[in-house]
Amino acid sequence: MYNNLQELTQHIVFKYFAEISAIPRDSGNEQAISDFLVRFAQERNLEVIQDEALNVIIKKVATVGYESAPTVIIQGHMDMVCEKNEGTVHDFDKDPLQLRIIGDMLYATDTTLGADNGIAVAYALALLDSTDIPHPALEVVITTEEETTMNGAIAVDASHFTGKIFINLDSEEDGKLLVSSAGGVHVTQVLPIEWANASQQQVAYRLQIKGLKGGHSGISIDKGRGNSTKLLGRLLHDLATEIPYNIQHISGGLKSNAIPREAQAVLFISPCDINKVNEKVMQWEQIFKNELQLADPGVSISVEQKDSHSTAVFSAETKHKAITALLLIPHGVQAMSTGIEGLVESSTNLGVVTTTDTTIHFENEIRSSIKSAKANMVTQAKSLADMLGCEVLIDADYPEWPYNPDSQVKKLFEETYREKYGKDIDVIAVHAGIECGVFIEKIPGLDAVSLGPDMFHVHTPDEHVSIPSTINNWEYFIYTLKRMKVD
């Protein structure tokens, strides 16, 4: 048990995790962390490549006795999802994370921790810095923008690599070996706004839904948690059936790959109707609490008067289309795997809704382990967009990682786990985007696995990682590298 951060950072992995936690690394803001990795390599006279996408590749020669072993590619990503609790004063562009220990878990303070995927970076740096860990030749690649577009991995030049063994360190369950993952695509439906003016009798109110757990839009999609944007759509639709009101603004969520925890709308309502609105809000709060009593019992709804310097509101047609989009854009599990029990095959997440001066954006993260199923969900999104008069933007399309039953690196990790712990490791697939699929497309014959320690509530301010699991997984990882010696 570690009593404080000073003790914890005596361990080489947490030493480096603490160092990178002091560096801003939101997706798209990776210059500082990328430069840090380059300096790290240069200070140790290691070969290093930094490309235009800010990916960093660091190479280290084999230790004595491992010169004949196959080269190993080790991969993780340097960016993190940056979310914080409402009211938390933290600037992700410049402020270091405030790490804290609770029991045997490591947290940040009211923000995401970035263990996804800072633990991979810490493992890689600890290995590259070591002088006493036996290993084959290493090609370490730390990518950018994994959490948003995977553009970093997509931009990597495969000619930099000679290895055919690929170890990804972006898994989140100790004692499990990941061997397959879903592909994904980011789809945005853009609705043009026609503006009108609220009546002089109407007053601005903020309607807000909050208190939801959120979570990773792949890993947590089957947990039955509430999506604040979808709940907002239901409430707005019901209000419109009985109470005249106008909408000036709708928004919800921060990241397309996170289930949105909060959503709000600015409404113009006649003061004579506000009691009816409050009654409806109370009714719907109880409805949502009942529906989500096990998965998301903290859901709450509030309505309060606010100042507004503008009386511009959506036209009646835009209002109808916006509410329809919130209702009909799908969210949640679309299909379960028929081959792997309990595995989500296909899903979609309405993760972000934003209002600009001219448009409303509805951002969706679509995932599937079957390419044709993913394409069909995109087609459905386009069809709905056509009905509503939306423009469709498609980006961050990344491939699935198909299961390889003949994987030799999978077999090796299974053997070393059995040797070290006296039991079998669980071999799993995951409904989330892992960069293995991108690299497998780039490098013919690549043989890949993914592993990592126990992490909880990633992509939320309650994210935490198990300290003993992180150390255990590190020891398993380097034990397997040691077994790669060719006699």
Side-chain angles (χ1 to χ4, degrees), residues 235 238-239 242-244 269-284 303:
L235 176 53
D238 188 52
L239 286 175
E242 297 186 26
I243 301 167
I269 307 168
S270 173
C272 66
D273 290 323
I274 195 60
N275 287 336
K276 292 181 183 178
V277 172
N278 284 325
E279 289 176 7
K280 281 287 187 183
V281 164
M282 291 175 62
Q283 291 172 9
W284 276 98
V303 59

Side-chain angles (χ1 to χ4, degrees), residues 306-337:
K306 71 177 293 291
D307 293 331
S308 179
H309 301 295
S310 170
T311 59
V313 294
F314 299 167
S315 69
E317 183 178 5
T318 298
K319 172 186 171 183
H320 172 72
K321 288 181 176 180
I323 294 174
T324 301
L326 290 173
L327 285 173
L328 296 187
I329 292 174
H331 168 81
V333 175
Q334 304 299 296
M336 297 297 292
S337 171

Side-chain angles (χ1 to χ4, degrees), residues 162-358:
T162 62
K164 296 293 186 180
I165 296 173
F166 190 88
I167 303 174
N168 169 280
L169 298 173
D170 193 14
S171 194
E172 297 167 4
E173 292 181 280
D174 200 3
K176 298 182 186 295
L177 189 66
L178 182 61
V179 296
S180 177
S181 66
V185 60
H186 181 247
V187 177
T188 303
Q189 288 134 305
V190 183
L191 176 66
I193 298 174
E194 293 179 354
W195 291 101
N197 285 308
S199 73
Q200 293 182 349
Q201 289 74 38
Q202 290 181 320
V203 177
Y205 291 86
R206 178 183 288 106
L207 177 67
Q208 189 170 28
I209 297 175
K210 57 184 179 179
L212 298 163
K213 294 178 182 177
H216 188 286
S217 66
I219 301 296
S220 300
I221 202 69
D222 61 344
K223 302 296 189 294
R225 295 174 185 170
N227 178 318
S228 60
T229 62
K230 298 293 292 180
L231 301 183
L232 179 64
R234 292 171 63 185
L235 176 53
L236 291 176
H237 176 265
D238 188 52
L239 286 175
T241 63
E242 297 186 26
I243 301 167
Y245 72 88
N246 289 298
I247 303 176
Q248 184 178 73
H249 174 97
I250 56 174
S251 62
L254 296 173
K255 306 285 183 180
S256 64
N257 61 353
I259 300 170
R261 297 178 294 116
E262 299 180 359
Q264 66 174 355
V266 176
L267 309 180
F268 275 74
I269 307 168
S270 173
C272 66
D273 290 323
I274 195 60
N275 287 336
K276 292 181 183 178
V277 172
N278 284 325
E279 289 176 7
K280 281 287 187 183
V281 164
M282 291 175 62
Q283 291 172 9
W284 276 98
E285 182 174 274
Q286 289 307 307
I287 290 170
F288 293 150
K289 282 184 177 294
N290 179 61
E291 291 181 358
L292 302 169
Q293 57 184 300
L294 297 179
D296 240 331
V299 61
S300 66
I301 311 174
S302 63
V303 59
E304 59 183 5
Q305 188 172 339
K306 71 177 293 291
D307 293 331
S308 179
H309 301 295
S310 170
T311 59
V313 294
F314 299 167
S315 69
E317 183 178 5
T318 298
K319 172 186 171 183
H320 172 72
K321 288 181 176 180
I323 294 174
T324 301
L326 290 173
L327 285 173
L328 296 187
I329 292 174
H331 168 81
V333 175
Q334 304 299 296
M336 297 297 292
S337 171
T338 56
I340 301 176
E341 185 177 356
L343 176 68
V344 177
E345 176 202 280
S346 304
S347 74
T348 181
N349 174 59
L350 177 56
V352 182
V353 178
T354 52
T355 302
T356 73
D357 290 340
T358 57

